[in-house]
Amino acid sequence: MGVINFSKTNCKHCYSCVRACKVKAVKVKNDQAEILEERCIACGKCIKACPKNAKEIESDVYVIKKFLEDGETIAVSLAPSFVVAFETLSDKICGALKSIGFNYVEETAIGARLVNKVYEEYASRLDETCYITSCCPSLNELIQKHHSELIPNLVPVISPMACHGRLMKEKYGQDTKVVFIGPCIAKKNEAKEEDSIDAVMTFEELISLFQCKNIDLGKCEKIPLDAIATKERIYPILGGITDSMDKNKIKRELLHVHGMEQCLTVLKKIKNGRFKDRFIEMSLCDYGCINGPAMPESELIIQEKQQLIRKYANKDEKYADSLEEFCNKISMGKTFDAKLKPLKEPSEKEIREILENIGKYSSRDELNCGTCGYDTCRDKAVAVYNGMAELTMCLPYMKQKAENLSNVIFDITPTIVVVINKKNDIVDLNPAAETFFKIKKKWAIGINLSALMEVDMINELTQSNENSISKKAYLKEQNATVLESIIKIKDSDSMLIVINDFTETLNQEEKYQQMKINAVEVAQYVIDKQMRVAQEIASLLGETTAETKVSLTKLKRLVQGEEVD
């Protein structure tokens, strides 16, 4: 895992980090941003760009706390930009560090003294090679990972941090733990390849450590640093490296380049042979290390920061300690290896297929808006092919897709939908509303809703604190019984009117009810009729039965010889 990562819980697929990363070291997978270590140069641009502060920076604070707890001898290499980070309290940093348990505090600028000697030697050469300073670790990573053909242009010397670390190991003993404190995140990566640096802490992390240890910087003692270097203190500002060099030894033209955009432009020109016989001071941070990604927030403008550094560098101070006796014991050389891992190149057919999947069927569809973080739609397609980006990162495509879906729903729904503004003027309405109100959309837009229906419910909602209201209503003009819902649209002065017309349903129910009544009446009539028939039958049966009985009785008497009346 690299020194920078993103919190999965906070990342909101806004692609700000992708847009900020000029080397495209941010991968998006399942709407989550991830850092590609093989491409990352730890410049920290993504951290500054993240609106959700979803950053996770690898920290050595716990390692340093362990050093302190174990009673280790600890020597601090303090970057000169600390005078900008802590401003008026910078003269108390040494006292604060020693009160915590750090044993020695020296300026990193001491290492810059020896690095300058190597730079001066290369600046005095008369060949046509364009030499580039190599004290910015992000710049070194940029060249090693993305422009490896320019590695021969880097001055092959260790950084002031590494040099100072080696000097302190010689001076205080190899078992001494050396901690670098500065404004740079990329130093954490550099330290992994440098045995003389045991831990790296940014100024922001130092402030957190002070808070953890309940250190009030304002109440700390003013203690001078154990070893200093004066003119090299201007290293953190633009032009500071070459300004601190011996001008008598420089025999070629100097260039000061800062910021990602300028550095990329100059590197491209060096490749094209535009610059020759130059000595170029490069820093990926705008205006140098005083604008590093781990510098605390400050209201100071760049010019004020530069003044602080120059004022500090011009102090009339003597070296608190000489390290000349240790200079010959350390190696200053550095080998820069190519770390380039080029992306896979898709064929033209594969690019076209990817573009067509996001609705880009011709060059006219390729807006190259850059919202996804890539300069062109084709660059985005290459990223998709390499698994670094997702199709859904295309905002115009997703917007069109969402609009198409919402338009389909808006157009085909049988529900009546009307959008009005705060003045009750119609902003939009769907086909169902056109049919219901018997008005064409082009004529309806802009007229007041009161011309079509009563607006009592709208006024009621406007005057209340509610966000919506629903009621059954009868619309006289349309002779319709409806369920009317009015909804305030969030973060807007508009309201949504949704009307469900159930007049036909009511009519159907009335018809059904009448049919039931008719059926009951018919059934009752049949029942009554049957009862009358039954009664008539019973009456007839009663009469005939009586007559039959009389006749049979007479017949019986006759048979028996009796007299019959």
Side-chain angles (χ1 to χ4, degrees):
M1 189 173 87
V3 297
I4 303 175
N5 278 286
F6 290 96
S7 169
K8 292 186 177 181
T9 57
N10 287 336
C11 190
K12 300 298 182 183
H13 48 77
C14 65
Y15 314 130
S16 295
C17 53
V18 182
R19 290 192 293 273
C21 183
K22 298 301 181 182
V23 296
K24 295 300 170 270
V26 180
K27 172 184 177 180
V28 177
K29 184 177 180 181
N30 298 325
D31 290 327
Q32 173 66 49
E34 301 175 11
I35 299 293
L36 293 173
E37 178 61 19
E38 65 272 17
R39 299 184 64 82
C40 180
I41 60 175
C43 64
K45 301 294 184 185
C46 58
I47 293 174
K48 294 288 188 181
C50 180
K52 293 294 181 179
N53 197 31
K55 62 182 179 181
E56 291 180 351
I57 302 175
E58 183 181 285
S59 178
D60 286 342
V61 172
Y62 73 96
V63 175
I64 296 168
K65 286 181 178 179
K66 189 69 167 58
F67 292 161
L68 293 168
E69 291 170 3
D70 293 344
E72 299 277 6
T73 300
I74 309 174
V76 172
S77 176
L78 185 63
S81 49
F82 79 96
V83 297
V84 173
F86 297 95
E87 301 179 34
T88 57
L89 298 176
S90 61
D91 56 355
K92 296 190 176 185
I93 290 296
C94 184
L97 289 169
K98 290 195 173 184
S99 70
I100 294 175
F102 292 91
N103 303 94
Y104 307 102
V105 182
E106 298 186 356
E107 286 186 341
T108 313
I110 293 170
R113 275 191 284 157
L114 297 185
V115 173
N116 265 357
K117 292 181 180 180
V118 179
Y119 283 163
E120 288 166 358
E121 190 272 319
Y122 276 85
S124 66
R125 293 186 178 185
L126 299 177
D127 56 39
E128 292 189 347
T129 303
C130 185
Y131 292 112
I132 304 171
T133 56
S134 54
C135 57
C136 175
S138 286
L139 174 69
N140 298 341
E141 290 280 283
L142 174 64
I143 293 175
Q144 289 176 276
K145 291 182 176 180
H146 301 279
H147 303 279
S148 58
E149 63 271 41
L150 296 180
I151 287 178
N153 297 88
L154 281 172
V155 178
V157 62
I158 58 176
S159 69
M161 177 190 78
C163 179
H164 190 211
R166 295 181 187 186
L167 288 171
M168 287 197 292
K169 289 279 188 181
E170 289 293 331
K171 178 180 178 181
Y172 299 118
Q174 296 298 323
D175 292 335
T176 299
K177 304 299 182 183
V178 176
V179 176
F180 172 80
I181 302 177
C184 182
I185 295 172
K187 287 294 185 184
K188 292 176 180 285
N189 270 339
E190 182 187 347
K192 294 177 182 179
E193 301 176 355
E194 176 55 51
D195 293 338
S196 69
I197 304 298
D198 298 288
V200 170
M201 185 162 50
T202 66
F203 289 138
E204 290 178 337
E205 290 172 327
L206 178 58
I207 292 173
S208 296
L209 181 62
F210 284 158
Q211 292 172 346
C212 179
K213 296 290 185 179
N214 296 317
I215 298 296
D216 183 346
L217 198 57
K219 296 179 180 179
C220 290
E221 184 181 358
K222 292 183 181 180
I223 299 177
L225 302 180
D226 295 296
I228 63 172
T230 53
K231 66 175 183 177
E232 290 82 11
R233 289 172 174 172
I234 61 173
Y235 251 62
I237 65 175
L238 180 62
I241 297 173
T242 50
D243 284 351
S244 65
M245 292 164 56
D246 186 348
K247 299 297 189 297
N248 294 322
K249 296 181 180 180
I250 298 175
K251 297 181 181 179
R252 55 175 62 209
E253 188 175 349
L254 303 176
L255 283 182
H256 305 145
V257 183
H258 68 103
M260 180 68 76
E261 295 290 350
Q262 286 191 25
C263 287
L264 288 172
T265 300
V266 170
L267 291 177
K268 182 178 180 180
K269 290 184 179 296
I270 294 174
K271 285 183 187 179
N272 296 335
R274 169 70 175 79
F275 292 122
K276 294 182 179 180
D277 190 27
R278 304 283 180 93
F279 188 86
I280 304 179
E281 175 187 327
M282 275 196 187
S283 171
L284 277 193
C285 290
D286 295 326
Y287 299 99
C289 303
I290 54 173
N291 232 16
M295 285 288 283
E297 292 293 330
S298 172
E299 294 183 358
L300 297 177
I301 62 174
I302 288 297
Q303 289 74 15
E304 289 176 308
K305 293 179 180 180
Q306 292 172 335
Q307 286 176 347
L308 280 176
I309 292 292
R310 291 191 180 280
K311 183 178 179 180
Y312 181 61
N314 290 330
K315 277 188 175 182
D316 186 16
E317 295 180 301
K318 302 295 183 181
Y319 289 115
D321 189 17
S322 175
L323 298 176
E324 292 181 2
E325 58 180 295
F326 305 107
C327 294
N328 296 327
K329 296 182 180 180
I330 66 170
S331 171
M332 295 294 295
K334 182 176 177 65
T335 300
F336 294 99
D337 300 317
K339 301 178 182 179
L340 181 65
K341 290 187 178 180
L343 298 176
K344 294 182 293 183
E345 287 292 335
S347 64
E348 182 62 26
K349 179 182 178 182
E350 289 168 324
I351 289 179
R352 292 297 344 149
E353 288 177 352
I354 293 171
L355 290 174
E356 288 174 6
N357 282 333
I358 51 176
K360 303 184 188 304
Y361 299 97
S362 68
S363 57
R364 287 176 299 178
D365 299 323
E366 298 173 24
L367 301 179
N368 301 326
C369 65
T371 308
C372 63
Y374 293 87
D375 294 335
T376 67
C377 295
R378 292 179 66 86
D379 289 343
K380 156 76 179 306
V382 174
V384 171
Y385 181 78
N386 282 272
M388 295 171 57
E390 297 178 323
L391 292 173
T392 54
M393 291 168 61
C394 180
L395 182 61
Y397 167 68
M398 294 304 293
K399 181 175 182 291
Q400 182 182 26
K401 186 176 180 180
E403 286 177 346
N404 289 343
L405 180 59
S406 63
N407 287 340
V408 168
I409 296 172
F410 188 74
D411 290 342
I412 70 172
T413 179
T415 302
I416 300 153
V417 182
V418 181
V419 182
I420 61 173
N421 60 22
K422 62 181 180 180
K423 296 180 179 179
N424 293 349
D425 295 334
I426 297 174
V427 177
D428 199 2
L429 75 166
N430 69 343
E434 290 183 279
T435 302
F436 182 77
F437 290 112
K438 295 181 176 58
I439 188 172
K440 291 295 183 182
K441 182 175 180 177
K442 63 180 180 179
W443 303 116
I445 302 299
I447 70 171
N448 197 274
L449 185 63
S450 60
L452 302 181
M453 59 180 284
E454 294 180 1
V455 293
D456 294 343
M457 281 179 59
I458 297 173
N459 296 332
E460 180 182 342
L461 179 62
T462 303
Q463 295 169 8
S464 72
N465 294 323
E466 300 296 324
N467 292 318
S468 64
I469 186 172
S470 294
K471 287 183 180 180
K472 182 180 176 181
Y474 175 70
L475 303 181
K476 295 179 182 178
E477 290 292 330
Q478 290 75 30
N479 188 28
T481 302
V482 300
L483 177 63
E484 185 178 336
S485 299
I486 307 171
I487 306 162
K488 292 179 181 177
I489 301 176
K490 187 178 180 181
D491 300 327
S492 171
D493 290 329
S494 302
M495 284 192 285
L496 186 69
I497 317 296
V498 180
I499 299 173
N500 287 287
D501 181 10
F502 53 91
T503 305
E504 186 64 30
T505 302
L506 287 177
N507 291 337
Q508 292 293 335
E509 287 181 357
E510 289 176 1
K511 289 180 181 179
Y512 179 64
Q513 188 66 25
Q514 187 61 48
M515 288 173 62
K516 288 195 296 183
I517 292 171
N518 293 340
V520 169
E521 290 177 349
V522 170
Q524 188 63 49
Y525 172 78
V526 172
I527 291 171
D528 292 344
K529 185 70 174 177
Q530 289 296 319
M531 287 297 296
R532 287 195 298 271
V533 171
Q535 289 172 355
E536 291 174 1
I537 292 172
S539 175
L540 289 172
L541 285 174
E543 291 175 3
T544 56
T545 300
E547 290 173 357
T548 301
K549 181 179 179 181
V550 171
S551 297
L552 288 175
T553 302
K554 287 181 178 181
L555 179 60
K556 175 183 174 185
R557 288 178 179 176
L558 287 172
V559 173
Q560 292 176 345
E562 298 178 1
E563 288 186 9
V564 178
D565 293 338

